[in-house]
Amino acid sequence: MNAACCACPLRHACSPGGLAGVDPPRSHLLMFGRRCLLAGEALYRKGDAFHLVHAVCSGTMKSSLTRADGRAQVCGFHLPGEFVGLDGPAEGHYQTTATALEATQTCSVAYGPLLELSSRLPLVQQDLNRLISREASRARRHILVLGRMTASERMAALLLDLSQRAAAGGHSRSDISLRMSRREIGSYLGLTTETVCRVLRDFRDTKLLEVDTRRVRFLDLPAFARAYPATVN
Amino acid sequence: MNAACCACPLRHACSPGGLAGVDPPRSHLLMFGRRCLLAGEALYRKGDAFHLVHAVCSGTMKSSLTRADGRAQVCGFHLPGEFVGLDGPAEGHYQTTATALEATQTCSVAYGPLLELSSRLPLVQQDLNRLISREASRARRHILVLGRMTASERMAALLLDLSQRAAAGGHSRSDISLRMSRREIGSYLGLTTETVCRVLRDFRDTKLLEVDTRRVRFLDLPAFARAYPATVN
DNA sequence: CGTCATGTTGAACCGGCTCAATTGTCGTGG
DNA sequence: CCACGACAATTGAGCCGGTTCAACATGACG
């Protein structure tokens, strides 16, 4: 582990989560560099040549697809400790655009050397395949949400998912801050911003949540999860 | 290429599409076996231990997710020459259930040896990663459809997709046969069977298609594609 | 020929959308 | 510090696309 990695807030999360088998003396070969993004800044865009995968070190990102008519559809939110850019291997260029939702730090890893390394280290190879495959898992869960769920179920699914991932990152499970706008939530869930608002108001009115704009607190998380069982995988 | 592969209808499609770099003398090590499935029979089920990936040799399959309440959501259709089971690497067990829609032949490949082989052959490694990554691409395209499209756009997207894939398999581009039921189409598109029927009727009434139950013919494919541009990727 | 699943069509309903207006939030500059 | 403007969030009223529910047609298969 080199100097930059020692300081990385991901130093614990990165290896077990992503690249368990990389022996320290070699890992510096992989790291391409860090970037600091401002809110709204893109890390990569759809169509960019794919050479790097990225870890979110701090902040939050979204990834979005572009429709033929040019409008965007948010297809994922990414918290610290998670990877973005793993949609690249499919075609050799990114198929999504990754944008920072707030000031965000990322760490980039060169894909070529990573592949090469993985062929020498079976554990890395398996982890890499797993990571790429998990990309599809996420998308499939998303399909389940968009398929035939009501607005409240969709919103509940997102909140429970964010809660769980925030917890995995060491944050509170019941007190989550939404770094994305209502419009972005709506795009992700296949709803309008108005409906997102109304659903959150209903959750508040029925004492399931406290909602203060972008701050959400579960009043009884287990009860909430029980009320929306179809959303848990 | 061993005897079974010589007779395989995929013998041309398999290598270029999937495993370009496997040198013939070794490929027999990979092939695990063939299976013949009847309509409705499952090749694997959600939760089964993941050891094999499969190619569809003939017939048609669907893969489906299971909701917490037990109901299924179709998440993909698979034509001859395409792979199924690549959702396995993520967690070491299948996350979907693959079912034959008609009499279907499959060819299975052991994942472990494939991984091992791929570490010696960079081209195979890259292809394997690409295949796994394409799994996510498919799911993302599906998200785009389920996100915010009208019923007709969804149906058009499916028909154009099937047309394109049928053409890739050497079949007619404008004359396609739907091996799946209206219910399965509806599940895949996030619609009811009734709506699927009505949309097809509308396409027929507006002279875009000839529809005879499970047989669909585009009367003017380019015009159809132009009428639904948002559905083409 | 009867049975059962699949497909089709119609009528009424409703969840979420559209459109429009209001309020809240935050950054900027006076 | 406040005023201002731009944008995000919220709320209401009315509408509409797709669902629900029900009836009927078709077709596969014993």
Side-chain angles (χ1 to χ4, degrees):
Chain A
M1 203 184 288
N2 64 29
C5 287
C6 287
C8 177
L10 280 182
R11 63 190 177 282
H12 301 305
C14 181
S15 289
L19 308 167
V22 181
D23 48 336
R26 278 177 181 159
S27 64
H28 71 284
L29 293 172
L30 292 176
M31 217 194 64
F32 182 82
R34 303 196 133 236
R35 272 192 72 177
C36 295
L37 301 165
L38 300 176
E41 204 175 341
L43 176 58
Y44 56 82
R45 289 174 187 284
K46 174 188 153 142
D48 286 357
F50 166 67
H51 299 301
L52 305 170
V53 298
H54 315 268
V56 179
C57 301
S58 66
T60 319
M61 305 198 69
K62 69 171 173 183
S63 51
S64 46
L65 299 161
T66 313
R67 295 180 179 284
D69 62 13
R71 281 177 311 142
Q73 155 107 26
V74 175
C75 64
F77 299 113
H78 310 284
L79 305 185
E82 300 176 348
F83 288 82
V84 297
L86 286 166
D87 58 307
E91 308 298 341
H93 52 82
Y94 294 111
Q95 299 180 330
T96 62
T97 298
T99 313
L101 293 177
E102 59 182 325
T104 296
Q105 281 199 329
T106 63
C107 175
S108 304
V109 173
Y111 185 66
L114 182 57
L115 265 189
E116 200 192 326
L117 182 69
S118 78
S119 70
R120 289 199 304 276
L121 299 172
L123 209 54
V124 176
Q125 185 189 29
Q126 207 172 341
D127 279 349
L128 182 59
N129 284 341
R130 191 166 16 229
L131 278 178
I132 298 179
S133 186
R134 284 212 176 121
E135 202 60 16
S137 299
R138 287 198 321 108
R140 266 190 299 269
R141 266 198 304 279
H142 198 179
I143 285 173
L144 221 39
V145 169
L146 295 177
R148 284 173 86 35
M149 278 193 187
T150 65
S152 329
E153 286 170 335
R154 292 175 196 219
M155 194 69 223
L158 174 60
L159 292 177
L160 289 171
D161 183 39
L162 287 176
S163 156
Q164 188 175 328
R165 288 156 62 191
H171 295 80
S172 164
R173 181 181 289 275
S174 63
D175 204 333
I176 61 187
S177 109
L178 306 171
R179 311 320 260 260
M180 64 297 286
S181 69
R182 298 290 192 258
R183 158 170 297 278
E184 286 161 333
I185 293 176
S187 170
Y188 179 74
L189 295 178
L191 302 169
T192 59
T193 70
E194 293 94 327
T195 301
V196 171
C197 276
R198 282 188 254 267
V199 168
L200 285 174
R201 168 165 57 79
D202 293 348
F203 283 161
R204 177 160 45 73
D205 291 352
T206 53
K207 312 283 186 225
L208 287 169
L209 298 179
E210 273 175 10
V211 181
D212 177 16
T213 314
R214 298 206 177 183
R215 196 106 216 154
V216 168
R217 204 163 72 81
F218 289 96
L219 292 178
D220 184 349
L221 184 50
F224 190 92
R226 250 178 287 118
Y228 291 96
T231 62
V232 188
N233 202 340
Chain B
M1 202 182 291
N2 65 27
C5 288
C6 286
C8 177
L10 280 182
R11 61 190 177 283
H12 302 304
C14 181
S15 290
L19 308 168
V22 181
D23 49 336
R26 278 179 182 156
S27 64
H28 71 283
L29 293 172
L30 292 176
M31 216 194 65
F32 181 81
R34 303 195 132 236
R35 272 193 71 179
C36 295
L37 301 165
L38 300 176
E41 204 176 341
L43 177 58
Y44 56 83
R45 290 174 185 284
K46 173 187 153 145
D48 287 356
F50 166 67
H51 300 301
L52 305 170
V53 298
H54 315 268
V56 180
C57 301
S58 66
T60 318
M61 305 199 69
K62 69 172 174 182
S63 52
S64 46
L65 298 160
T66 312
R67 297 180 179 284
D69 62 13
R71 281 178 312 141
Q73 155 107 25
V74 175
C75 65
F77 298 113
H78 310 284
L79 306 184
E82 300 176 348
F83 288 81
V84 296
L86 285 166
D87 59 305
E91 308 298 342
H93 51 83
Y94 295 111
Q95 297 180 330
T96 61
T97 297
T99 314
L101 295 177
E102 59 183 325
T104 296
Q105 281 198 329
T106 62
C107 176
S108 304
V109 173
Y111 184 67
L114 181 58
L115 264 189
E116 199 192 325
L117 182 69
S118 78
S119 70
R120 289 199 304 276
L121 298 172
L123 209 54
V124 175
Q125 185 188 29
Q126 208 172 337
D127 279 348
L128 182 58
N129 283 339
R130 189 162 23 223
L131 278 178
I132 298 179
S133 186
R134 285 212 177 120
E135 201 60 17
S137 299
R138 286 198 322 107
R140 266 189 299 270
R141 267 198 304 280
H142 198 178
I143 285 173
L144 221 39
V145 169
L146 294 177
R148 285 173 84 36
M149 279 193 188
T150 65
S152 329
E153 287 171 333
R154 291 175 198 218
M155 195 68 224
L158 175 60
L159 292 177
L160 289 171
D161 183 39
L162 287 176
S163 157
Q164 189 174 328
R165 287 156 63 191
H171 293 80
S172 164
R173 184 181 287 277
S174 63
D175 203 335
I176 60 187
S177 108
L178 307 171
R179 312 317 261 258
M180 63 296 287
S181 69
R182 299 290 192 260
R183 159 170 297 279
E184 286 161 333
I185 293 176
S187 170
Y188 179 73
L189 296 178
L191 302 170
T192 59
T193 70
E194 292 94 327
T195 302
V196 172
C197 277
R198 283 188 253 268
V199 167
L200 285 175
R201 169 165 57 80
D202 293 348
F203 283 162
R204 177 159 46 71
D205 291 352
T206 54
K207 311 285 186 225
L208 287 170
L209 298 179
E210 273 175 9
V211 182
D212 177 17
T213 313
R214 297 206 178 183
R215 194 106 217 154
V216 167
R217 204 164 72 80
F218 289 97
L219 292 178
D220 184 351
L221 184 50
F224 190 93
R226 251 179 285 119
Y228 291 95
T231 62
V232 188
N233 201 337

